Amino acid sequence: MGKVIAVANQKGGVGKTTTAVNLAASLAATDHPTLLLDIDPQANGTSGLGIEPRTVATSVYEVLTGDVPFEDAVLQTEMPFLDAVPSHINLVGAEIEMINVLEREQVLKRALVRARRTYDFVVVDCPPSLGLLTLNALTAADSVVIPVQAEYFALEGLGQLLNTIKIVRQHLNPDLEIEGVLLTMFDPRLRLASQVAAEVRRYFGDKVFEAVIQRNVRVAEAPSFGKPVLLYDALSAGSKNYMALAREVIRNNLRYLHEEHAEEAPPAPVAPPTLSGDGQHHRTPPQPHGLAAVPAEGPASPPRVRYEDVARERADRPELPGAPTPGLEPPADRIRLASRVNDPTDDDAPDDAAAPYSPSS
Ligand SMILES: Nc1ncnc2c1ncn2[C@@H]1O[C@H](COP(=O)(O)OP(=O)(O)O)[C@@H](O)[C@H]1O
Ligand SMILES: [Mg+2]
């Protein structure tokens, strides 16, 4: 049976969608049948795979409202091992429409029963909230990837997410694990970004992925072309970072993949040798990913590194690369998508490096 991995953090702009799309694509690139499931009404993950959300006939919305079986919403993508279930702006209404549904937190879990047999991995891109959609994802998921933006003060607000995970474990999904905390948009040239990263590691210990996603302009450009970064620029730092993350996820789930497949289905395709590195990791049993090591209430000590300090350091060093390149001109057919990404009314749109961190977002 496949593993369902939710990518969640109620803060917008931390790299959830980027991670969901590129982790899914990188897993698929290793010949693991993978599904990207977009349950964010903003549908950035859908468009990031080249699917125009406004034109999809059947989205996850119809699945959640029970109008169509899950299989009918599955679309193929450019990559042979990657399928997608698109989102649609209609999904905004789903939270309200589902209020009277019996066991409304379990709808996605029930819908995914068959998909678990079809795919090795189902990666779920969650909206930037802890509402019913995210709750459905956490209830359906085996584990959760928590992206944190290395440049902003990353830990603030995480207590709320960890608490939600704990409550989901108590009441809805006792087996939910933390797959890992992922440092995103890391700029190694910013001294303070490294301090933020160190603080995240100090706090979460071995829950933090070894793989770190650097700030990389190719990663930011790729969605405007409707591609995961791997198809847009395979040699970019972003592609390498996300491949490293995929390798780590596979490595941590070898036992899971092999055992489950032995029971449920034909053997999983073995990842190409290039992915196994020294091969040693294959013999290491996966680490338990329980919540035990993670305090529920967020950081005990106040932040030592503040966003303002990082922003000041960046402002003082104009030579450093910042947010997505201004003036990037995507081809005409993608301009509409790109302009949506820049829609100021779009909470999930890129904040630019200058946007201050707001604890309420
Ligand atoms: N590693 C990265 N390098 C450069 N830009 C990035 C990177 N990761 C994310 N971004 C950009 O940051 C913005 C927010 O990322 P996104 O994945 O949409 O966050 P979320 O889904 O959490 O709201 C997007 O414009 C995205 O292109
Ligand atoms: Mg998103």
Side-chain angles (χ1 to χ4, degrees):
M1 278 218 302
K3 186 166 203 189
V4 180
I5 301 177
V7 181
N9 186 335
Q10 77 276 20
K11 213 150 105 55
V14 296
K16 284 183 292 299
T17 299
T18 306
T19 295
V21 166
N22 290 298
L23 172 60
S26 301
L27 289 167
T30 68
D31 293 357
H32 283 282
T34 301
L35 176 76
L36 177 80
L37 171 61
D38 187 358
I39 57 154
D40 182 354
Q42 307 214 24
N44 292 343
T46 302
S47 54
L49 283 180
I51 301 161
E52 166 57 73
R54 271 165 277 216
T55 64
V56 299
T58 307
S59 72
V60 70
Y61 170 77
E62 285 80 13
V63 174
L64 290 177
T65 52
D67 292 338
V68 303
F70 189 83
E71 293 70 30
D72 288 10
V74 175
L75 298 175
Q76 292 182 340
T77 72
E78 253 185 290
M79 297 181 76
F81 284 90
L82 181 62
D83 287 346
V85 168
S87 177
H88 191 276
I89 188 69
N90 280 349
L91 203 52
V92 171
E95 297 221 331
I96 296 162
E97 290 167 38
M98 283 160 67
I99 276 181
N100 292 321
V101 173
L102 199 67
E103 295 180 317
R104 57 184 184 271
E105 303 86 1
Q106 316 260 5
V107 178
L108 187 62
K109 188 189 183 90
R110 289 195 294 268
L112 279 178
V113 169
R114 294 255 292 275
R116 280 174 178 279
R117 296 199 197 108
T118 311
Y119 300 97
D120 283 354
F121 294 102
V122 177
V123 180
V124 187
D125 183 24
C126 293
S129 77
L130 294 174
L132 191 52
L133 291 168
T134 297
L135 220 50
N136 260 272
L138 294 177
T139 303
D142 299 295
S143 67
V144 53
V145 167
I146 304 174
V148 294
Q149 190 175 348
E151 194 166 307
Y152 294 75
F153 181 67
L155 298 179
E156 235 165 66
L158 273 190
Q160 218 184 336
L161 174 61
L162 296 175
N163 241 344
T164 303
I165 292 172
K166 266 203 167 151
I167 292 166
V168 168
R169 285 190 97 198
Q170 280 161 7
H171 300 286
L172 297 163
N173 182 7
D175 299 325
L176 181 64
E177 300 171 337
I178 291 188
E179 189 71 44
V181 174
L182 178 68
L183 287 159
T184 62
M185 293 179 244
F186 179 76
D187 187 338
R189 284 159 291 199
L190 285 176
R191 187 177 48 84
L192 285 164
S194 301
Q195 285 184 23
V196 172
E199 197 158 343
V200 171
R201 289 197 186 278
R202 184 172 60 82
Y203 184 65
F204 284 102
D206 63 5
K207 287 273 165 285
V208 184
F209 284 112
E210 285 167 29
V212 170
I213 311 302
Q214 295 181 25
R215 184 177 279 284
N216 175 243
V217 71
R218 307 307 258 172
V219 170
E221 288 170 1
S224 301
F225 297 84
K227 290 181 188 299
V229 68
L230 206 55
L231 296 190
Y232 176 61
D233 184 351
L235 298 178
S236 63
S239 293
K240 290 175 185 161
N241 291 165
Y242 275 111
M243 278 307 298
L245 175 66
R247 282 198 294 271
E248 200 173 337
V249 168
I250 291 167
R251 197 168 84 206
N252 289 341
N253 286 290
L254 279 180
R255 196 167 63 184
Y256 191 101
L257 285 167
H258 290 167
E259 276 177 8
E260 301 283 342
H261 276 276
E263 285 165 23
E264 296 285 335
V270 177
T274 47
L275 293 175
S276 56
D278 54 9
Q280 192 185 335
H281 297 303
H282 284 258
R283 290 190 293 276
T284 312
Q287 297 300 308
H289 278 126
L291 275 172
V294 179
E297 302 303 330
S301 52
R304 294 179 190 169
V305 187
R306 301 197 53 77
Y307 163 72
E308 289 76 9
D309 302 330
V310 183
R312 208 173 300 121
E313 182 182 348
R314 182 180 285 288
D316 288 346
R317 299 182 57 189
E319 79 278 10
L320 292 181
T325 321
L328 168 71
E329 302 259 348
D333 63 330
R334 310 291 324 171
I335 282 179
R336 200 150 54 88
L337 278 183
S339 63
R340 189 187 51 71
V341 171
N342 289 319
D343 180 357
T345 62
D346 183 349
D347 280 341
D348 211 22
D351 290 325
D352 277 344
Y357 164 64
S358 149
S360 61
S361 69

